[in-house]
Amino acid sequence: KFIAPMIFSGVPLDSFAALRIAPGGIDRALYDLCDWWEHRHDKEVCLFFYDDLKEDHLGCVLRVQRFMQIEGGHELAHVVVEQSTHEFMSRP
């Protein structure tokens, strides 16, 4: 299902993509990742990738729970998973 943008823009998607990628927009994102990557083993850093969240939502919630030392186990994690879906958050 297509979701309209929150802010209307008259810029067509292909033009936006060309403007974003051509001047090095992708490169900047990779530089940002590289800056964080060297800290991935620091005890204060919990690094996630979007694909990880999509593939293992529950596992990522449990990881955050352990990282933040939040009690509640799997029961709490299942509630968080249920309430952090697009469907749940889109309800009126």
Side-chain angles (χ1 to χ4, degrees), residues 34-50:
C34 290
D35 289 344
W36 278 104
W37 190 251
E38 64 188 63
H39 298 285
R40 69 189 182 278
H41 299 300
D42 293 1
K43 68 178 187 172
E44 306 89 12
V45 175
C46 191
L47 189 63
F48 290 87
F49 292 97
Y50 179 76

Side-chain angles (χ1 to χ4, degrees), residues 3-84:
I3 299 172
M6 293 178 74
I7 300 172
F8 176 76
S9 171
V11 179
L13 180 59
D14 57 342
S15 298
F16 173 81
L19 292 171
R20 176 75 177 125
I21 294 170
I26 299 300
D27 290 339
R28 182 67 233 156
L30 291 176
Y31 285 124
D32 291 343
L33 174 60
C34 290
D35 289 344
W36 278 104
W37 190 251
E38 64 188 63
H39 298 285
R40 69 189 182 278
H41 299 300
D42 293 1
K43 68 178 187 172
E44 306 89 12
V45 175
C46 191
L47 189 63
F48 290 87
F49 292 97
Y50 179 76
D51 291 340
D52 297 334
L53 295 167
K54 291 297 286 179
E55 290 175 15
D56 187 10
H57 192 170
L58 176 61
C60 289
V61 169
L62 289 167
R63 238 180 98 200
V64 170
Q65 188 177 10
R66 282 190 304 275
F67 178 76
M68 297 182 70
Q69 300 174 352
I70 298 172
E71 296 180 10
H74 278 33
E75 185 176 315
L76 175 61
H78 282 285
V79 171
V80 171
V81 167
E82 178 188 337
Q83 294 182 3
S84 61

